[in-house]
Structures are given as structure tokens and as C-alpha cells.
Amino acid sequence: MSYRPFERVGVAPVVVGALTLSWVALLMLCARAGQEGAVQLTSNLGLALIALAAGVAAVRRARDTRELRHFWLLLGAASLAWSAGQTVWTWYESVLGREVPFPSLADVGYLGLPPLAATALLCLPLAAPTLAGRLRAVLDGLIVALSLLLVSWIIVLGPVVNAGGDSMLAQTISLAYPVGDTVVITIVIFTWLRARQSARKLPVSLALVGGGLVSFAVADSGFVYLTTLSDYSSGSFIDIGWFAGFALLLVAASQVRSDNTVHIDEESFGNQLGTFLPYSAVLIAVTTSAIDVMRSGATDIFISWDRSALMVFLVARQVLTLRENMALTRNLEDRVQARTAELQSSRQRFAALVQHSSDVVTVIDHSGVITYQSESCLRVLGREATSMTGSSLWDYIAEDHAAALREVIASVSVEPLRLQTLHNSWLRPDGSECHLEVTVTNLLLNEDVEGLVLNSRDVTDRTALQEQLLHQAFHDSLTALFNRAMFKERLEHALTRRERHAASLAVLFLDLDGFKEVNDTLGHSAGDTLLIQVANRLLDLVRPSDTVARFGGDEFAILVEDLDDPAYTITLAQRVNTVLREAYDLGGTRVHLGVSVGIAHDADMAADAEQLLRNADLAMYQAKAAGEGGFAIYDPSMHAGLVERVRLEADLRKAIDDGGLAVHYQPLISMSTGRVTGVEALARWQHPERGPVSPVEFIPLAEATGLIRRLGLWVLREACAQTVEWQRSQPGLSELRLSVNVSPRQLDDENLAAVIAEVLVETGLHPEFLTLEMTESVLMSDSPSALVTLRELKAMGVRLAIDDFGTGYSSLSYLHRFPVDVLKIDRSFIEQLSLGGDTALVSTIVRLGHTMNLETVAEGIERPQEMLLLRRQGCTTGQGFHFSPALPPEELTLLLAERAPLRMIRGGDPA
């Protein structure tokens, strides 16, 4: 780390000042005691040491700065040279006790300071801004130098020259001292004058350095003068000048901060003093010369030439100053003209910006009279600015917005520079309204305005967009009815209003029956048209105070407020059922729909809007469960049923995850041989608390919750593995077939074929032994994705069966389109056979199967006569309790091991 003496600014002056005072006090004590030798020693050592300290500090300072390295090195060399000369003087006078010879080595050291110090000052990086300024600084320096030389000649140099000397060398050296001091003082003044014209700041205190050198030079000149008079001795008051000079240099070298810089304020006293310094120097020189003339009565030729040179330089300086002032005046005039042009251009630019701005600028007085109107009003308001100027502002404001603007203007007028913004509507000539964002600013006290400024921005498009977005946020984009968010907000408002006014309300929740079939068969465009017609019919049914909303899909809701008679909601639900059941015309196709309506009143323990909507939703599901549309009123028991359903769903999910389900198998019997040709896999659930749960209860639940996919995959994997085991372990069952039910949700999965193929590979079951059963609704949905999946399965070799055939009224075209292998006759038709009902439909299905080369399976055979009639009609396969119920795999394994026909009537054919 570099050495930084007196690191903290402010310490160095105090320490050096204390040393100086201590040295002076010591000199005075020795002098008062009459100890001449002690005075000489104290003075000589003090001077040598203070010069040495200043030189060392300057050299070390040079190590810490790159910009002023040469300055500090030269200044340090000057101090060290003088310290060396003083050391030689001290050796002669204080150590050897001899008179110092003249000239001697001490003079070499002494005379080394002026040129080194002057060169150091000239190394400072200062530059005057102009050529005239630099010339004027040189002339100022010369004037001061000549003035000082004149004073020095009268006081010092003249007497030295006139006194003569032992030799030319001694006389030259004697003159070198005052000349060198004059040069130093001149360079100090010249440097200061240059610094006044420089805007550059330097990390050096020129006042300390210059003051120290001037103090040294004055003391040096005094030494020469006293020496000439043979009146100098070490320890005299002249030594204090030397000591003070080097003390100032020591302080300057010890300060490392740039707080004290060369930069001088133009308004400072020092700057004013610098302006008059050359004249002051001339005045001093002339005064000294006049005194000398009065004293001696004669004028030296050197003095005459010096004064003449001073006059010439003064005239030259005045000429330069005059030319510089003229240049400054011209520059100032040019700047004023440029500034004036700039201001004029700025005014014109501002006027153009205001006139052509998209904002409308209007200035009005206290009474609302327009005193200024920008041209942009023609583009925004369709009015000429000249037609508006001088008229009343209120002639152009929409009547319903005038009050708000008056209030803002009154508020802004109270305080100067106050501003406020509002949205306002102004009138165009055609009577239309223009929506503006107006900022009113109080500039009544501004002399250039003296009015209220209205900055208006056209926000008509933005307002329209905001209204559009707001409408979209709270309305259904298809039917333009309110959406769920707006309906809920109105319901919450109605509930709050009910608490204040004791007004009853009710919510009707509607769900269309059969809408999905319309979408699937006629397309989504027809479905959208149907929803719009439903919305229009609902709007015609309700009162103006009621709210109709579409929640999404085919769900609608009606909010009935101010309900005086609860029976009104029943009447409204009946009317909704009647009107919505009427035929709809969808591009030439007439369609009929049903609707299920759920009714919930605010008295049904509904704590908030969400709960009231849930109650209406529960009631709607109750109505839908009843079938054939209609309506249902919410009852708390419905909530209990919902809770039970949620619990059952959670238990079913746990049963699927933990293996709480089982697969039972019901045999499929050949109607001709009575042998088991296949088995149907059926899921069974033994609930740990409720006992057996009917498939009629948990299968629809799995369908509704989406668990049917996981459940169906699990049943398929278990059944395939069990079938392969029977094929391999039971003789004669190598071609045993397996039937597994597949739900419509499973068929919606485009990866179903790949998943089934993976299960077949995993379990080892050949695809031709697997039959997938699906309901007739799959055919009627005519889903393209389902058709693709069925064809992929058919290509794999898997057989496809239509379960409950005859209940969905599918046409023959569906059977041709879908790759079906098996028709399963619904049990409801089989029951008619034993009860003496119509058997034509069963016969038709069987003949259809023979015609299309399809296997026919009669399910639900429970009586012998049903089996005999089906066999007579040519039914291929039978299934039902008459043969065997669905059994666990271990029980069915024992049954299959008997290899005997199951409950077939032997003998002749009944036919």
C-alpha cells in the first residue's frame, strides 16, 4: 500500500502550523537568552529539515498520481536541492564554526530551486480556452515580471550591481538570486492567470504551492538585500519566510484529496483580483520608481527601458482585451440570435403539435367561454375551431354529462395548477356523442394562458371496446343471454336485497333432454340454432324482472325475483316444459326436445348463491331421473342422496385401487348342444359395510365419473387371464369364448384398440376368442372416432356384439356400417315369450341374424318354455338363470369340469 502522509484532510495544516510556531518560538527563546550559536543552529537545522520534509512529501506524492507526477517530482527536487544547499551552509556555520565562503556548494543547492520550481509550475496541465486568452495571459505575466524586475532593480539588483564584487562569478551569482526569485514569482502569477481561464480541476492546491514559492522568493530577495548591506545573520526574520514557504509546500504535498482545485469561480474575489493584478503590479513599479527618482534625483537607464516596455505591453494587453471583448460581444449576439430563433422555432413547433395533435386543447375562462380551441377539434368533433372560439363550452356537452364536468371545473378552479380527469361526452354536429377523456388544468394565474385548459382525448373506440368486452364477460356469445358469472352476481344481489326488503326468490335450473342426439346427428351448427331458439322461447316466457342465463352446453337457468306466490314457479316450470317441447325447425328438419327443470327457493336452507344453485341442480337431476322430462322441487333429502353418491364414488374409487372388486362369469350355452361355448365377464362389488352393491347402482356411477375406463380395463385383463387358464386346464374348452362389456366412454378413447391388443399379448388370449359387447346407443351416436376404433378391433380379429338389441331402434344401415358379429336380444323381449306376448320381434331379430350371418344370443332366459321357443326359432346361443347365474371363477371351474349339458331338454326337437 502506498504511503499517504496526513491521510485525513485537515490534519496536515494543523501539524505543520504547530511545527512552524514551535520553531519560531524556539528561535525567540534562544535570541532572548542571548545564545547566538543556538539561534544559528536552530535556524539552520529547522530550514534544512523543513525543506527536506517538503521534498520527501512531494516525491512520495508523485508516486500516487500519474497526471501530476512530473509536477511533484520537479517540486520535490527543488525542495531537496535547497535542503542540500542549506545543509552545506549549516555544516560551515554551525558545525565548523566558520563563515560560509561565497560562492560555495551551498549556492548550487540554493540556485537549483528557482528553475526546478518554475519548470514544475509550467508542467501543470492548464490551457487557456482561446488564442487571445493565451496571449493575454503571457502579456500579464510579462507585465508582472517587468514590474517585479523594476522593483527588484531599485531595491536589490541595482545596489548589487553598483556594489561590484570580487569576481565576475560572485557578481553573477549575487544577481542570480533576485533574478531567479523574480522568475519564480512571475511564473506563479502566470500560472495563476492561466488557471483563471481554465475550467479544468486538478488535485493540487495552487494557492498553497504559489504562496509557498512567493514566500520563499520574497525571503530570498530580502536575503540578497541584507547580504548586500552586510546586515544578515542566521536566525533573522528573513528565515521565517523561507520556513513558511517550505511549510506551505509540505502542506500542499500532504493533501491527497481533490477538494481544493485550480477551478476558480468567475464571480470570486480572487478572480476579480486576477483581472487587476497586472495593473496593480505596474502601479507598484511606477510608485517605487517615482520614490526612487525623488530620493536619488536621477533615473537609471534600466529603469527607463523597463518602464517603456511596461507601457508597450500594457497597450498590447488593452488591444487584446478590446479584441477579445468584441469577439465575446459578437459571440453573445450570435448566441442571442440563435436562442431567439430557437425559441421562435420552439413556439412554432409547439403550435404545430397542438394544432395537429390527436388531443383536443380547449381553453375556457371562469364562465365557460372558449378563449382558445385547437384545430384538432375538426378531426375529433367535426367542428371548426373558429366556430367554437368565443362560444360557450356547454353548447357542446351532452346534457347528462354537463353536471359532472361543471363539478370538476369548480373543484379545479379552487387551487392554481390543480388538475383532474374525467370521462365526458361531447356532441358532434350530427347529434352523435363523442366519448372523451378530459383533463382539466387550472392555469388561470399563468400570464400566457389565463384560463382553464381542457386536454381531451377521443376514447370512443376504447369505450366501445370496453363495453363490448364487458358484454362478452357477462353474456353468452351464442344466445346473448347472461352467463353463469352474471347470473351468480344477480343472484347474490337478489339475496342481499331479500334481506333488506323481505322479498322471496327462486331459481329454476333447466337441462335439455335429447340435445346431444341433435348435435350428433344434425351437427353442431344445427345444435347452435336450436339453443338460440330455446333462449328466445325462454325470454318470451318470463317476466321483465326475471333473469334468464345460459350456463353452457344445454343448461339454462331462470332467476325469479319478488316472488309473491311460490306456486308461480310450478306454473312457470310447467309452461317451460310445454313451450320447449314444441317442435323446432332446423333447416327443414323438425326436432322435438324434452326439458328437465329443477326448482329451488331461497327458503330451502340456502346460505348463499352457490348453495341455491346447487339445490336447483340437484332438483333438476331428480327430475331427469324420473324420466320423460318434467320438473322437481328441491328437498333436503336430495342433498342426502348427493352425499351418499359422493361417498359411494369414493368407495368405488378405493375398491378399484385396492382390488375390492371381483369378476363373475355367466355361461353362454349353445342352444343346439347345451354345451358351454363362452362366458360373459361381469363386475361384482362386495362393499365392506353395505354388503353386495348392485351393478345397476355402481356401473352408472362409474360411467358418470369416468371410472368406467379403469374398471373396464381391469375387468378385461382379469377375464382374459382367467379364460386362458380355462382353455389350457379344461379339456374340450380350448375354444372357449369370452364376452366383455365396453362402455361408450371407453370407445371414445382413440387408444382403446392399442390397449386391448396389449392386454391380449400380456395374457395370451387369441383375439378371435374375445367378444366386446356394446349398447345400441353406440351405433346411434354415429361417432367417427368410435367407428375407427371398432374397425381397428375388427381388423385385429376381435368379435363385436350389440347388447340389448331392439331397445334403441337402430336401423339396418347402422348394422351395415358397423362391423358387428353378434346380436344379443334384450331380456325384455324374452319375458314376452313365456307370458304369451308378441313373439314377432324376437323372430324378426333371429331371422335378421341368419340373413346377415350374425350370431344371435338370447339373454335373460329364466324358464324352460323360453328356451324351447328360442331354440325352435333358430336362436344360436342362450344365457340366463335357467342355465346358471354369474358365478365366481372357482365355482364355474367346477361346473365346467363336469362337461355335461346344462338343463337342456333331451328328446325330439319341439319343432
Side-chain angles (χ1 to χ4, degrees):
M1 182 177 67
S2 61
Y3 172 78
R4 296 178 179 269
F6 306 107
E7 183 70 24
R8 294 180 57 186
V9 176
V11 175
V14 174
V15 173
V16 175
L19 290 175
T20 303
L21 294 177
S22 300
W23 178 77
V24 173
L26 183 59
L27 280 179
M28 294 176 64
L29 289 175
C30 294
R32 182 171 296 180
Q35 299 178 358
E36 183 178 352
V39 172
Q40 291 181 350
L41 180 61
T42 301
S43 175
N44 291 335
L45 286 178
L47 292 174
L49 292 176
I50 193 66
L52 177 63
V56 172
V59 172
R60 291 189 175 181
R61 178 69 182 277
R63 294 166 51 191
D64 296 334
T65 175
R66 177 177 299 178
E67 186 179 19
L68 301 179
R69 182 184 303 276
H70 294 92
F71 168 78
W72 287 114
L73 284 175
L74 289 171
L75 194 62
S79 299
L80 293 176
W82 198 92
S83 177
Q86 180 64 24
T87 302
V88 172
W89 180 284
T90 304
W91 176 261
Y92 279 108
E93 189 175 64
S94 299
V95 176
L96 300 180
R98 295 167 46 189
E99 183 179 351
V100 181
F102 181 78
S104 68
L105 291 177
D107 296 308
V108 177
Y110 291 149
L111 292 175
L113 185 144
L116 291 173
T119 306
L121 291 174
L122 293 175
C123 288
L124 286 174
L126 297 173
T130 63
L131 176 60
R134 289 194 291 271
L135 291 176
R136 187 157 52 85
V138 172
L139 286 176
D140 288 345
L142 291 174
I143 290 173
V144 173
L146 289 174
S147 300
L148 293 177
L149 185 59
L150 179 59
V151 174
S152 180
W153 179 267
I154 295 172
I155 298 175
V156 179
L157 296 179
V160 170
V161 171
N162 294 329
D166 296 338
S167 65
M168 181 64 68
L169 177 61
Q171 191 173 13
T172 301
I173 293 175
S174 297
L175 291 174
Y177 281 103
V179 172
D181 297 334
T182 303
V183 170
V184 169
I185 295 175
T186 302
I187 295 299
V188 168
I189 296 173
F190 178 73
T191 302
W192 184 39
L193 293 175
R194 289 173 63 208
R196 288 176 53 244
Q197 299 176 352
S198 176
R200 186 170 185 179
K201 295 185 176 182
L202 295 174
V204 56
S205 175
L206 190 58
L208 291 176
V209 174
L213 292 177
V214 170
S215 176
F216 166 83
V218 171
D220 215 33
S221 297
F223 166 75
V224 173
Y225 180 74
L226 293 178
T227 302
T228 303
L229 300 178
S230 301
D231 195 23
Y232 173 78
S233 63
S234 296
S236 67
F237 68 93
I238 293 297
D239 295 357
I240 299 177
W242 283 324
F243 196 98
F246 286 113
L248 291 175
L249 294 180
L250 175 59
V251 172
S254 301
Q255 289 184 333
V256 297
R257 299 183 181 270
S258 59
D259 300 328
N260 298 321
T261 66
V262 177
H263 181 75
I264 299 177
D265 187 3
E266 292 293 335
E267 302 298 328
S268 66
F269 172 76
N271 188 35
Q272 297 175 3
L273 179 61
T275 302
F276 295 103
L277 178 62
Y279 304 103
S280 302
V282 171
L283 180 61
I284 294 173
V286 172
T287 302
T288 305
S289 175
I291 294 173
D292 181 63
V293 170
M294 288 188 296
R295 179 178 58 81
S296 62
T299 302
D300 191 290
I301 188 171
F302 178 82
I303 297 175
S304 299
W305 281 105
D306 192 294
R307 286 187 299 189
S308 300
L310 280 175
M311 295 302 106
V312 172
F313 288 154
L314 279 174
V315 172
R317 184 184 190 280
Q318 287 302 108
V319 172
L320 285 175
T321 302
L322 180 60
R323 291 179 59 85
E324 190 175 20
N325 289 338
M326 292 174 61
L328 290 174
T329 302
R330 287 195 301 269
N331 182 43
L332 182 59
E333 290 175 351
D334 293 340
R335 290 175 62 184
V336 170
Q337 291 178 358
R339 182 59 178 166
T340 303
E342 182 181 350
L343 290 175
Q344 183 65 21
S345 175
S346 177
R347 278 199 197 93
Q348 294 175 354
R349 181 168 59 252
F350 176 76
L353 289 174
V354 171
Q355 295 297 335
H356 300 283
S357 171
S358 58
D359 290 357
V360 178
V361 180
T362 307
V363 182
I364 63 173
D365 59 13
H366 281 96
S367 59
V369 175
I370 299 175
T371 59
Y372 172 81
Q373 180 61 62
S374 65
E375 296 292 341
S376 53
C377 65
L378 178 62
R379 182 175 58 259
V380 177
L381 299 175
R383 299 180 184 273
E384 295 285 349
T386 54
S387 66
M388 297 182 65
T389 305
S391 60
S392 176
L393 173 69
W394 310 111
D395 296 340
Y396 311 104
I397 307 298
E399 184 176 353
D400 53 343
H401 288 81
L405 183 56
R406 288 181 186 275
E407 183 179 347
V408 170
I409 290 177
S411 175
V412 170
S413 300
V414 174
E415 180 182 348
L417 300 179
R418 187 173 184 178
L419 60 87
Q420 194 169 339
T421 302
L422 81 159
H423 287 265
N424 210 251
S425 291
W426 292 33
L427 297 175
R428 293 190 174 100
D430 58 2
S432 63
E433 293 187 2
C434 177
H435 297 281
L436 300 176
E437 182 183 72
V438 183
T439 300
V440 184
T441 307
N442 184 351
L443 295 181
L444 291 168
L445 299 183
N446 189 302
E447 297 179 356
D448 299 323
V449 180
E450 295 182 344
L452 297 168
V453 180
L454 281 67
N455 289 283
S456 306
R457 176 170 299 176
D458 186 4
V459 293
T460 303
D461 294 338
R462 188 176 73 184
T463 302
L465 179 60
Q466 288 176 348
E467 292 176 353
Q468 180 183 353
L469 293 176
L470 186 64
H471 184 274
Q472 292 177 357
F474 292 105
H475 289 78
D476 176 54
S477 59
L478 177 64
T479 63
L481 297 176
F482 289 124
N483 58 13
R484 176 187 285 271
M486 188 61 183
F487 186 88
K488 184 179 178 182
E489 181 177 328
R490 289 210 164 191
L491 179 55
E492 291 174 345
H493 176 73
L495 289 172
T496 304
R497 180 171 168 268
R498 173 201 63 175
E499 296 175 358
R500 295 196 303 263
H501 303 285
S504 299
L505 58 91
V507 173
L508 280 70
F509 201 95
L510 288 66
D511 186 83
L512 303 180
D513 300 327
F515 175 75
K516 186 177 184 301
E517 286 72 13
V518 174
N519 250 352
D520 293 340
T521 56
L522 300 181
H524 291 284
S525 178
D528 292 344
T529 304
L530 176 61
L531 291 173
I532 294 174
Q533 294 184 21
V534 169
N536 294 333
R537 293 186 184 185
L538 291 176
L539 288 174
D540 293 338
L541 283 173
V542 301
R543 304 172 302 175
S545 60
D546 298 337
T547 301
V548 181
R550 179 184 174 218
F551 277 19
D554 58 350
E555 293 181 341
F556 295 83
I558 301 174
L559 171 61
V560 181
E561 299 186 63
D562 300 324
L563 186 61
D564 298 330
D565 183 8
Y568 170 76
T569 56
I570 299 176
T571 303
L572 179 60
Q574 292 172 340
R575 291 172 58 196
V576 167
N577 268 281
T578 302
V579 172
L580 295 190
R581 286 177 181 276
E582 296 176 2
Y584 298 87
D585 185 5
L586 303 178
T589 303
R590 295 179 64 81
V591 175
H592 291 269
L593 284 180
V595 61
S596 300
V597 183
I599 305 174
H601 294 88
D602 57 340
D604 298 330
M605 297 185 299
D608 52 25
E610 199 67 43
Q611 188 172 359
L612 190 59
L613 284 172
R614 187 196 62 190
N615 293 347
D617 193 19
L618 287 173
M620 184 274 295
Y621 277 109
Q622 185 72 20
K624 188 177 287 291
E628 299 183 358
F631 65 90
I633 301 175
Y634 172 77
D635 184 86
S637 60
M638 297 179 183
H639 183 262
L642 175 63
V643 173
E644 182 62 25
R645 182 175 180 273
V646 171
R647 289 179 180 174
L648 190 62
E649 177 188 346
D651 292 343
L652 176 60
R653 192 180 302 273
K654 187 175 185 300
I656 296 175
D657 293 337
D658 299 343
L661 298 173
V663 181
H664 288 193
Y665 302 88
Q666 188 173 32
L668 298 174
I669 310 300
S670 171
M671 298 294 281
S672 59
T673 64
R675 298 288 182 180
V676 177
T677 59
V679 292
E680 180 181 0
L682 300 170
R684 294 293 184 265
W685 183 14
Q686 182 72 22
H687 196 279
E689 298 177 0
R690 299 175 53 177
V693 180
S694 171
V696 178
E697 188 175 358
F698 74 82
I699 292 298
L701 178 62
E703 286 275 3
T705 58
L707 292 173
I708 192 66
R709 293 179 178 175
R710 294 174 54 196
L711 176 59
L713 181 60
W714 176 80
V715 170
L716 177 65
R717 183 176 284 106
E718 291 289 321
C720 288
Q722 181 62 56
T723 302
V724 170
E725 182 179 347
W726 280 330
Q727 288 177 344
R728 294 175 180 175
S729 62
Q730 296 285 348
L733 297 180
S734 59
E735 297 184 356
L736 183 69
R737 296 183 182 276
L738 170 66
S739 295
V740 179
N741 292 284
V742 178
S743 74
R745 281 211 173 192
Q746 289 178 275
L747 288 174
D748 289 340
D749 186 1
E750 59 183 13
N751 297 320
L752 179 63
V755 171
I756 292 177
E758 182 181 349
V759 172
L760 292 175
V761 172
E762 177 185 337
T763 58
L765 182 67
H766 198 276
E768 65 178 310
F769 298 124
L770 176 62
T771 302
L772 298 179
E773 299 183 5
M774 66 205 78
T775 60
E776 202 170 355
S777 61
V778 175
L779 301 182
M780 296 182 64
S781 67
D782 198 14
S783 172
S785 60
L787 181 59
V788 171
T789 300
L790 293 177
R791 287 177 178 172
E792 290 178 350
L793 292 170
K794 186 64 178 177
M796 289 167 49
V798 176
R799 299 193 337 144
L800 303 177
I802 301 300
D803 197 9
D804 301 331
F805 186 77
T807 59
Y809 306 103
S810 58
S811 63
L812 291 176
S813 62
Y814 289 116
L815 294 179
H816 282 288
R817 186 179 304 174
F818 287 85
V820 179
D821 300 287
V822 180
L823 297 179
K824 297 191 71 174
I825 307 171
D826 187 69
R827 62 183 301 173
S828 61
F829 303 133
I830 304 302
E831 290 178 354
Q832 298 297 322
L833 296 177
S834 60
L835 299 177
D838 187 9
T839 62
L841 183 57
V842 175
S843 300
T844 301
I845 295 175
V846 173
R847 286 197 301 272
L848 177 63
H850 290 166
T851 302
M852 300 185 68
N853 197 26
L854 302 176
E855 179 183 353
T856 53
V857 179
E859 56 181 351
I861 301 176
E862 297 184 356
R863 300 173 182 85
Q865 56 270 32
E866 295 171 356
M867 185 271 297
L868 291 173
L869 289 173
L870 289 167
R871 182 183 179 190
R872 180 185 302 170
Q873 292 179 6
C875 183
T876 308
T877 308
Q879 174 184 1
F881 280 12
H882 174 70
F883 304 109
S884 171
L887 299 174
E890 57 273 9
E891 295 185 18
L892 186 57
T893 299
L894 297 176
L895 183 63
L896 294 176
E898 298 179 1
R899 298 193 302 276
L902 297 180
R903 303 185 66 177
M904 296 294 294
I905 299 178
R906 299 185 182 279
D909 190 332

